[in-house]
């Protein structure tokens, strides 16, 4: 079973809107063209936050881009989202906001780490309880998805705006050995790590990237990208990040 992860498209209501030198709408479209042609048999699209750039009318663009898909579009909010508007504008198929999605022996638990007024994220007690309950109820292989990074990325500025109180999160993950992966957005770069038997993944934005291991905010020159997951019935995961090299990035220090 194949899943596409796209993340941090940062759309505006205006299709010509640009962020960090990238026209976010056309960049997302180029990513999707590549993803859908390279992985035509995908079962769902996972979108790990920052669907819009502080602009609720961006959800109308998001909706128009995805509404004709005949596959689930699984969405979670990021710090640049407006969760109420997101739920209002993305109602009904193919969209699902947070919750759990099950398919082919796997479950995707989508957590809301949005913390109003903060760039960093936080999982409310009820969200942590939902994670624990869902994992306790179903023994299916689990992919846990959220926007904010629950590990240190090694980038000083970015590590001040990750997930708060990670201990409680990891306590739950560690208690359920059928968690196969934790997947996030927010960091606009690749991460491929491991915690015991749990695979850990971050994925480049469909727009501009952040420079890995940078002390201060810095935009990378890598092009837009996305990730594919090949999820096996025995819980194994194969994955690859695909970069859209045909979209060269323009450097821009400010966003
Ligand atoms: Fe982002």
């Amino acid at each position: 079973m194949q899943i596409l992860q796209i993340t941090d498209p940062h759309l505006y209501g205006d299709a010509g809107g640009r962020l960090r030198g990238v026209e976010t709408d056309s960049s997302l479209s180029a990513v999707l063209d590549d993803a859908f042609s390279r992985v035509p048999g995908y079962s769902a699209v996972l979108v790990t936050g920052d669907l819009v750039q502080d602009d609720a009318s961006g959800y109308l663009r998001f909706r128009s881009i995805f509404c004709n898909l005949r596959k689930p579009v699984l969405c979670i909010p990021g710090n640049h989202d407006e969760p109420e508007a997101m739920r209002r504008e993305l109602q009904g198929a193919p969209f699902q906001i947070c919750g759990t999605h099950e398919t082919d022996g796997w479950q995707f638990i989508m957590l809301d780490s949005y913390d109003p007024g903060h760039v960093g994220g936080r999982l409310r007690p009820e969200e942590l309880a939902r994670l624990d309950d869902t994992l306790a109820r179903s023994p299916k292989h689990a992919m846990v998805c959220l926007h904010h990074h629950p590990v240190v990325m090694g980038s000083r500025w970015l590590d001040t705006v990750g997930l708060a109180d990670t201990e409680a999160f990891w306590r739950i993950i560690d208690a359920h050995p059928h968690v196969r992966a934790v997947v996030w957005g927010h960091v606009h770069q690749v991460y491929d790590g491991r915690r015991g038997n749990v695979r850990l993944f971050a994925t480049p934005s469909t727009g501009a990237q952040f420079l890995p291991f940078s002390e201060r905010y810095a935009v990378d020159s890598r092009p837009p990208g996305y990730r594919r997951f090949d999820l096996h019935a025995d819980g194994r995961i194969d994955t690859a990040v695909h970069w859209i090299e045909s979209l060269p990035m323009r450097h821009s220090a400010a966003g």
Side-chain angles (χ1 to χ4, degrees), residues 8 10 20 49-50 79-80 147 186 188 210:
D8 297 79
H10 291 268
R20 305 182 183 104
D50 285 357
N79 49 294
H80 287 286
H147 181 67
H186 191 48
H188 294 229
F210 296 143

Side-chain angles (χ1 to χ4, degrees), residues 152-163:
V152 172
M153 294 292 299
S155 186
R156 190 195 288 177
W157 71 276
L158 205 44
D159 285 328
T160 64
V161 291
L163 184 73

Side-chain angles (χ1 to χ4, degrees), residues 22 51 54 56 66 87 131 143 151 154 184 187 213 240:
V22 177
L51 280 60
D54 307 321
F66 286 96
R87 289 177 192 279
L131 172 64
M143 177 176 277
V151 300
W184 59 90
V187 297
F213 306 111

Side-chain angles (χ1 to χ4, degrees), residues 112-136:
D112 179 355
S113 59
Y114 178 84
D115 190 10
H118 294 92
V119 179
R122 183 176 300 276
L123 293 168
R124 297 181 311 280
E126 56 269 34
E127 200 65 343
L128 287 166
R130 179 172 72 87
L131 172 64
D132 200 19
D133 290 349
T134 305
L135 288 168

